[in-house]
CSV table of all heavy atoms in Angstrom, one decimal:
chain,number,residue,atom,x,y,z
A,65,ARG,N,8.8,5.6,17.1
A,65,ARG,CA,9.1,4.4,16.4
A,65,ARG,C,7.9,3.6,16.4
A,65,ARG,O,7.2,3.4,17.4
A,65,ARG,CB,10.2,3.7,17.2
A,65,ARG,CG,10.7,2.4,16.6
A,65,ARG,CD,11.9,1.9,17.6
A,65,ARG,NE,12.1,0.5,17.5
A,65,ARG,CZ,12.8,-0.1,16.6
A,65,ARG,NH1,13.4,0.6,15.6
A,65,ARG,NH2,12.9,-1.4,16.6
A,66,VAL,N,7.5,3.2,15.2
A,66,VAL,CA,6.2,2.4,15.0
A,66,VAL,C,6.5,1.1,14.3
A,66,VAL,O,7.5,0.9,13.7
A,66,VAL,CB,5.2,3.2,14.2
A,66,VAL,CG1,4.8,4.5,14.9
A,66,VAL,CG2,5.7,3.5,12.8
A,67,LYS,N,5.6,0.2,14.5
A,67,LYS,CA,5.6,-1.0,13.8
A,67,LYS,C,4.5,-1.0,12.7
A,67,LYS,O,3.4,-0.7,13.0
A,67,LYS,CB,5.4,-2.2,14.7
A,67,LYS,CG,5.7,-3.5,14.1
A,67,LYS,CD,5.7,-4.6,15.2
A,67,LYS,CE,6.1,-6.0,14.7
A,67,LYS,NZ,6.1,-7.0,15.7
A,68,LEU,N,5.0,-1.3,11.4
A,68,LEU,CA,4.0,-1.3,10.4
A,68,LEU,C,3.6,-2.8,10.2
A,68,LEU,O,4.5,-3.6,10.0
A,68,LEU,CB,4.6,-0.8,9.1
A,68,LEU,CG,5.2,0.6,9.1
A,68,LEU,CD1,5.6,1.0,7.6
A,68,LEU,CD2,4.2,1.6,9.6
A,69,GLN,N,2.3,-3.0,10.2
A,69,GLN,CA,1.8,-4.4,9.9
A,69,GLN,C,1.2,-4.3,8.5
A,69,GLN,O,0.3,-3.5,8.3
A,69,GLN,CB,0.8,-4.8,10.9
A,69,GLN,CG,0.5,-6.3,10.9
A,69,GLN,CD,-0.5,-6.7,11.9
A,69,GLN,OE1,-1.7,-6.5,11.7
A,69,GLN,NE2,-0.1,-7.2,13.1
A,70,LEU,N,1.9,-4.9,7.5
A,70,LEU,CA,1.6,-4.7,6.1
A,70,LEU,C,0.9,-5.9,5.5
A,70,LEU,O,1.4,-7.0,5.5
A,70,LEU,CB,2.9,-4.5,5.4
A,70,LEU,CG,3.7,-3.3,5.9
A,70,LEU,CD1,5.2,-3.4,5.5
A,70,LEU,CD2,3.1,-2.0,5.4
A,71,TRP,N,-0.4,-5.7,5.1
A,71,TRP,CA,-1.3,-6.8,4.7
A,71,TRP,C,-1.3,-6.8,3.2
A,71,TRP,O,-1.6,-5.8,2.5
A,71,TRP,CB,-2.7,-6.5,5.2
A,71,TRP,CG,-2.7,-6.7,6.7
A,71,TRP,CD1,-2.3,-5.8,7.7
A,71,TRP,CD2,-3.1,-7.9,7.4
A,71,TRP,NE1,-2.5,-6.4,8.9
A,71,TRP,CE2,-3.0,-7.7,8.8
A,71,TRP,CE3,-3.6,-9.2,7.0
A,71,TRP,CZ2,-3.3,-8.6,9.8
A,71,TRP,CZ3,-3.9,-10.1,8.0
A,71,TRP,CH2,-3.8,-9.8,9.3
A,72,ASP,N,-1.0,-8.0,2.7
A,72,ASP,CA,-1.0,-8.2,1.2
A,72,ASP,C,-2.2,-9.1,0.9
A,72,ASP,O,-2.5,-10.1,1.6
A,72,ASP,CB,0.3,-9.0,0.9
A,72,ASP,CG,0.5,-9.0,-0.6
A,72,ASP,OD1,-0.2,-8.3,-1.4
A,72,ASP,OD2,1.3,-9.9,-1.1
A,73,THR,N,-2.9,-8.8,-0.1
A,73,THR,CA,-4.1,-9.6,-0.6
A,73,THR,C,-3.5,-10.7,-1.5
A,73,THR,O,-2.7,-10.5,-2.4
A,73,THR,CB,-5.1,-8.8,-1.3
A,73,THR,OG1,-4.4,-8.0,-2.3
A,73,THR,CG2,-5.9,-7.9,-0.4
A,74,ALA,N,-3.8,-11.9,-1.2
A,74,ALA,CA,-3.2,-13.1,-1.9
A,74,ALA,C,-4.1,-13.7,-3.0
A,74,ALA,O,-4.8,-14.7,-2.7
A,74,ALA,CB,-2.8,-14.1,-0.9
A,75,GLY,N,-4.2,-13.0,-4.1
A,75,GLY,CA,-4.9,-13.6,-5.2
A,75,GLY,C,-6.4,-13.4,-5.2
A,75,GLY,O,-7.1,-13.8,-6.0
A,76,GLN,N,-6.9,-12.6,-4.1
A,76,GLN,CA,-8.3,-12.4,-4.0
A,76,GLN,C,-8.8,-11.2,-4.9
A,76,GLN,O,-10.0,-11.0,-5.1
A,76,GLN,CB,-8.7,-12.1,-2.6
A,76,GLN,CG,-8.2,-13.1,-1.6
A,76,GLN,CD,-8.8,-14.5,-1.9
A,76,GLN,OE1,-10.0,-14.6,-2.0
A,76,GLN,NE2,-8.0,-15.4,-2.1
A,77,GLU,N,-7.8,-10.5,-5.5
A,77,GLU,CA,-8.2,-9.3,-6.2
A,77,GLU,C,-9.2,-9.6,-7.4
A,77,GLU,O,-10.1,-8.8,-7.6
A,77,GLU,CB,-6.9,-8.7,-6.9
A,77,GLU,CG,-5.8,-8.5,-5.9
A,77,GLU,CD,-4.8,-9.6,-6.0
A,77,GLU,OE1,-5.2,-10.8,-6.1
A,77,GLU,OE2,-3.5,-9.3,-6.0
A,78,ARG,N,-8.9,-10.7,-8.0
A,78,ARG,CA,-9.8,-11.0,-9.2
A,78,ARG,C,-11.2,-11.2,-8.8
A,78,ARG,O,-12.1,-10.9,-9.6
A,78,ARG,CB,-9.3,-12.4,-9.8
A,78,ARG,CG,-8.0,-12.3,-10.6
A,78,ARG,CD,-7.7,-13.7,-11.2
A,78,ARG,NE,-7.4,-14.7,-10.2
A,78,ARG,CZ,-7.7,-16.0,-10.4
A,78,ARG,NH1,-8.3,-16.4,-11.5
A,78,ARG,NH2,-7.3,-16.8,-9.4
A,79,PHE,N,-11.4,-11.7,-7.6
A,79,PHE,CA,-12.8,-12.0,-7.3
A,79,PHE,C,-13.5,-10.9,-6.5
A,79,PHE,O,-14.7,-11.0,-6.2
A,79,PHE,CB,-12.8,-13.3,-6.5
A,79,PHE,CG,-12.0,-14.4,-7.1
A,79,PHE,CD1,-10.8,-14.8,-6.6
A,79,PHE,CD2,-12.4,-15.0,-8.3
A,79,PHE,CE1,-10.0,-15.8,-7.2
A,79,PHE,CE2,-11.7,-16.0,-8.9
A,79,PHE,CZ,-10.5,-16.4,-8.3
A,80,ARG,N,-12.8,-9.9,-6.2
A,80,ARG,CA,-13.4,-8.8,-5.4
A,80,ARG,C,-14.1,-9.4,-4.1
A,80,ARG,O,-15.3,-9.1,-3.8
A,80,ARG,CB,-14.5,-8.0,-6.2
A,80,ARG,CG,-13.9,-7.2,-7.2
A,80,ARG,CD,-13.3,-5.9,-6.6
A,80,ARG,NE,-12.4,-5.2,-7.5
A,80,ARG,CZ,-12.8,-4.4,-8.5
A,80,ARG,NH1,-14.0,-4.1,-8.6
A,80,ARG,NH2,-11.9,-3.8,-9.2
A,81,CYS,N,-13.5,-10.4,-3.5
A,81,CYS,CA,-14.1,-11.1,-2.4
A,81,CYS,C,-13.4,-10.9,-1.1
A,81,CYS,O,-13.6,-11.7,-0.2
A,81,CYS,CB,-14.3,-12.6,-2.7
A,81,CYS,SG,-12.8,-13.5,-2.8
A,82,ILE,N,-12.6,-9.8,-1.0
A,82,ILE,CA,-12.0,-9.5,0.3
A,82,ILE,C,-13.2,-9.0,1.2
A,82,ILE,O,-14.0,-8.2,0.8
A,82,ILE,CB,-11.0,-8.4,0.1
A,82,ILE,CG1,-9.9,-8.9,-0.9
A,82,ILE,CG2,-10.3,-8.1,1.5
A,82,ILE,CD1,-9.0,-7.8,-1.4
A,83,THR,N,-13.2,-9.5,2.4
A,83,THR,CA,-14.3,-9.1,3.2
A,83,THR,C,-14.2,-7.7,3.7
A,83,THR,O,-13.1,-7.2,3.9
A,83,THR,CB,-14.5,-10.0,4.5
A,83,THR,OG1,-13.3,-9.8,5.3
A,83,THR,CG2,-14.6,-11.5,4.1
A,84,ARG,N,-15.3,-7.0,3.9
A,84,ARG,CA,-15.2,-5.6,4.3
A,84,ARG,C,-14.7,-5.4,5.7
A,84,ARG,O,-14.1,-4.3,5.9
A,84,ARG,CB,-16.6,-5.0,4.1
A,84,ARG,CG,-17.0,-4.9,2.6
A,84,ARG,CD,-18.2,-4.0,2.4
A,84,ARG,NE,-18.2,-3.6,1.0
A,84,ARG,CZ,-19.1,-2.8,0.5
A,84,ARG,NH1,-20.1,-2.4,1.2
A,84,ARG,NH2,-19.0,-2.4,-0.8
A,85,SER,N,-14.8,-6.4,6.5
A,85,SER,CA,-14.2,-6.2,7.9
A,85,SER,C,-12.7,-6.1,7.8
A,85,SER,O,-12.1,-5.5,8.6
A,85,SER,CB,-14.6,-7.4,8.8
A,85,SER,OG,-14.1,-8.6,8.3
A,86,PHE,N,-12.1,-6.7,6.8
A,86,PHE,CA,-10.7,-6.6,6.5
A,86,PHE,C,-10.3,-5.1,6.3
A,86,PHE,O,-9.4,-4.6,7.0
A,86,PHE,CB,-10.3,-7.4,5.3
A,86,PHE,CG,-8.8,-7.2,4.9
A,86,PHE,CD1,-7.8,-7.7,5.6
A,86,PHE,CD2,-8.6,-6.5,3.7
A,86,PHE,CE1,-6.5,-7.5,5.2
A,86,PHE,CE2,-7.3,-6.4,3.2
A,86,PHE,CZ,-6.2,-6.8,4.0
A,87,TYR,N,-11.0,-4.4,5.5
A,87,TYR,CA,-10.7,-3.0,5.2
A,87,TYR,C,-10.9,-2.1,6.5
A,87,TYR,O,-10.2,-1.2,6.7
A,87,TYR,CB,-11.6,-2.4,4.1
A,87,TYR,CG,-11.5,-3.1,2.8
A,87,TYR,CD1,-12.6,-3.5,2.1
A,87,TYR,CD2,-10.2,-3.3,2.2
A,87,TYR,CE1,-12.5,-4.1,0.9
A,87,TYR,CE2,-10.1,-3.9,1.0
A,87,TYR,CZ,-11.3,-4.3,0.3
A,87,TYR,OH,-11.2,-4.9,-0.9
A,88,ARG,N,-12.0,-2.5,7.2
A,88,ARG,CA,-12.4,-1.6,8.3
A,88,ARG,C,-11.3,-1.5,9.4
A,88,ARG,O,-11.2,-0.5,10.0
A,88,ARG,CB,-13.6,-2.2,9.0
A,88,ARG,CG,-14.5,-1.2,9.7
A,88,ARG,CD,-15.7,-1.9,10.3
A,88,ARG,NE,-16.6,-2.5,9.3
A,88,ARG,CZ,-17.1,-3.7,9.4
A,88,ARG,NH1,-16.9,-4.4,10.5
A,88,ARG,NH2,-17.8,-4.2,8.4
A,89,ASN,N,-10.4,-2.5,9.5
A,89,ASN,CA,-9.4,-2.5,10.5
A,89,ASN,C,-8.1,-1.8,10.0
A,89,ASN,O,-7.2,-1.7,10.8
A,89,ASN,CB,-9.0,-3.9,10.8
A,89,ASN,CG,-10.1,-4.6,11.6
A,89,ASN,OD1,-10.8,-4.0,12.4
A,89,ASN,ND2,-10.2,-5.9,11.3
A,90,MET,N,-8.1,-1.3,8.8
A,90,MET,CA,-6.8,-0.6,8.3
A,90,MET,C,-6.8,0.8,8.6
A,90,MET,O,-7.8,1.6,8.5
A,90,MET,CB,-6.8,-0.8,6.8
A,90,MET,CG,-6.7,-2.3,6.4
A,90,MET,SD,-5.2,-3.1,7.0
A,90,MET,CE,-5.7,-4.8,7.2
A,91,VAL,N,-5.6,1.3,9.1
A,91,VAL,CA,-5.5,2.8,9.3
A,91,VAL,C,-4.8,3.4,8.1
A,91,VAL,O,-4.9,4.6,7.9
A,91,VAL,CB,-4.6,3.1,10.5
A,91,VAL,CG1,-5.3,2.6,11.8
A,91,VAL,CG2,-3.2,2.6,10.4
A,92,GLY,N,-4.2,2.6,7.2
A,92,GLY,CA,-3.6,3.1,6.0
A,92,GLY,C,-3.8,2.2,4.8
A,92,GLY,O,-3.8,1.0,5.0
A,93,VAL,N,-3.9,2.7,3.6
A,93,VAL,CA,-4.1,1.9,2.4
A,93,VAL,C,-3.2,2.5,1.3
A,93,VAL,O,-3.2,3.7,1.0
A,93,VAL,CB,-5.5,1.9,1.9
A,93,VAL,CG1,-5.7,1.1,0.6
A,93,VAL,CG2,-6.4,1.3,3.0
A,94,LEU,N,-2.4,1.6,0.7
A,94,LEU,CA,-1.7,1.9,-0.5
A,94,LEU,C,-2.5,1.4,-1.7
A,94,LEU,O,-2.8,0.2,-1.8
A,94,LEU,CB,-0.3,1.2,-0.6
A,94,LEU,CG,0.8,1.7,0.4
A,94,LEU,CD1,1.9,0.7,0.4
A,94,LEU,CD2,1.3,3.1,0.0
Side-chain angles (χ1 to χ4, degrees):
R65 182 175 153 84
V66 297
K67 189 168 185 178
L68 304 186
Q69 196 179 80
L70 302 160
W71 291 80
D72 190 19
T73 48
Q76 304 302 304
E77 310 96 320
R78 282 185 294 150
F79 309 108
R80 292 280 163 88
C81 66
I82 302 163
T83 67
R84 289 192 161 180
S85 61
F86 170 72
Y87 300 131
R88 203 178 303 133
N89 291 325
M90 296 297 152
V91 297
V93 177
L94 291 169

